[in-house]
Amino acid sequence: MPSQIPVNHICMTMSKITGMHRRLMSSIGVTCAAALSLPLALPAAPASASVSSAASRAPSAASHVSPPDESRSGSTQSIPLVPLDGTRASGSTAAEQGVPRRYVRSFSLVGVVWDDPDAELRGRVQVRTRATGTTRWSGWQDIETHNHEHAADPGTAERASGRVRGSTAPLWVGDSDGVEVRVRAETEHRTGTPGFQALPEGLRLELVAPGAEPGPAGASADSPRLVPLSAESAAASAVNADLAQLGALEIPALSRKETEDRLTAPKPGAKPYIGARPRIVTRRGWGANERLRERDFLYMKRVKAAFVHHTSSGNNYACSQAASVVRGIYRYHVLSSGWRDIGYNFLVDKCGNIYEGRAGGVAKSVMGAHTRGFNTDSVGIAVLGSFGSAEPSRKAVAAVARLTAWKLGIYQVDPRGATYLTSGGGNLYRKGRKVRLNVISGHRDGFSTECPGHSLYRKLPAVRSAAARYQGR
């Protein structure tokens, strides 16, 4: 069973030996003292499915004064869909719903949500947008509708919180100030009479502005940001204090020897088999507003497998925008979809940069919400983009191999091997069934989905081989 660790227990947790880690350095006591001496910030209010304004669902820059490191942290506009088929039908009885062309506050990421997380949107969702400061409108773009497989397991506290909603995948469209959306129900034929699948109740368009880039201009990536830390930011950083100093924007890469030297072998003289620790951009480095997520961290006992995903958010981003994409996905997962935090444990961009995902510590066994039914004992790694037909970059694939070589190596897991995971319930395996899976699997191996896309999925054999090689096997 996963365990929740409150913020005020972080220092107690950090003072223990976790897995194969050595005892933390004595300077952590200073770190903890600094973190716990900070004034407590206002807790994030849970999102509510009964309101349409994101500002009323959780604290934002408009509803409270944020500390300097979390100001200009983004916004979400939530707009109800209306019938577009020329009838007076309302709600799910309309075969086509949407938002007619309109001008809005600036946003960069878009998605559609609905009330019931267990209801499927059977149909087609398309959007077109206007680039900010221009009169140029994009062509119609499809939004991936099958997103319920990226979620907490059935029966868990996160899934049963009452805040979770059904949602499409988020789509990155770049800086925009105009939008038009249409949702067309899938047609069906019963006894020869054409009809349509009812659309879910409470369809709403979510427009996400990810906020300003983190940190002052010229800030050093390997040093703390020179602004105050809130209690939530300090807590999210402190769980990585054995890897980088409090408030660091990144966790630096280590050589393989340096990585091995920091581990305690499972048996005297046993070879550790771990890849070199890669550079990882911390949550503070990509600009996470820590007031959005739930405060506590959720842990498992171990990590036995890694599931590879794509975010289905499109490939039209520059590497300089990747942190903004991550912030947008984070905000969409928490405020729009109602999750406790971003769903993935790690994210990787097209330039091979690795980003810390769900809070709790990159070297720890943090419970994610990435592969419905198989979140326990696994880690979720998402490559930013859509890879049904588009090829993932070589740098992204190599980064996944480096990351799995290190992360799985912490738990002495062979990337080329197979393992057994117990299903928490899904559309492929009933709850309680023990399933044999590759240690590095694609999302589709645990749930019936296209994720991580055909082009990325066929790279996984190479990822397994490279990760094993990085581990020295």
Side-chain angles (χ1 to χ4, degrees), residues 430-444:
R430 60 174 174 77
K431 185 175 182 178
R433 179 175 172 181
K434 293 186 182 299
V435 182
R436 190 175 188 269
L437 295 163
N438 287 318
V439 163
I440 298 179
S441 286
H443 186 180
R444 63 174 65 179

Side-chain angles (χ1 to χ4, degrees), residues 112-119 147-148 164-168 332 336-337:
V112 172
V113 302
W114 53 94
D115 294 342
D116 183 358
D118 293 318
N147 196 45
H148 65 286
V164 180
R165 290 177 289 281
S167 59
T168 67
Y332 184 74
S336 299
S337 300

Side-chain angles (χ1 to χ4, degrees), residues 223-305:
S223 63
R225 198 174 298 161
L226 301 178
V227 289
L229 281 168
S230 69
E232 293 89 351
S233 293
S237 183
V239 287
N240 289 316
D242 52 336
L243 310 178
Q245 59 183 309
L246 186 70
L249 305 185
E250 68 175 41
I251 295 167
L254 296 178
S255 69
R256 187 172 166 209
K257 183 179 185 307
E258 290 171 326
T259 305
E260 290 178 353
D261 288 345
R262 289 173 176 245
L263 296 176
T264 300
K267 296 178 181 180
K271 190 174 179 61
Y273 289 116
I274 185 170
R277 188 180 77 195
R279 171 183 171 271
I280 302 172
V281 179
T282 64
R283 289 173 64 90
R284 188 163 174 78
W286 56 259
N289 180 350
E290 301 294 355
R291 290 186 170 185
L292 299 183
R293 63 170 174 82
E294 289 191 19
R295 281 188 166 189
D296 296 345
F297 304 133
L298 197 60
Y299 293 107
M300 308 170 293
K301 293 181 179 179
R302 58 194 170 184
V303 172
K304 298 171 61 179

Side-chain angles (χ1 to χ4, degrees), residues 149 307 371-374 423 425-431 433 435 437 442-449 451:
E149 62 265 25
F307 284 98
T371 306
R372 183 178 178 181
F374 291 100
S423 173
N427 62 3
L428 279 182
Y429 304 104
R430 60 174 174 77
K431 185 175 182 178
R433 179 175 172 181
V435 182
L437 295 163
H443 186 180
R444 63 174 65 179
D445 295 320
F447 199 96
S448 180
T449 172
C451 184

Side-chain angles (χ1 to χ4, degrees), residues 122 185-198:
R122 296 183 178 274
E186 182 179 286
T187 58
E188 63 177 4
H189 298 274
R190 294 178 179 175
T191 63
T193 303
F196 63 91
Q197 295 278 356

Side-chain angles (χ1 to χ4, degrees), residues 341-358:
D341 194 348
I342 193 169
Y344 309 112
N345 296 101
F346 297 94
L347 300 98
V348 176
D349 70 22
K350 62 177 68 175
C351 288
N353 298 304
I354 300 169
Y355 301 83
E356 177 183 13
R358 182 162 287 206

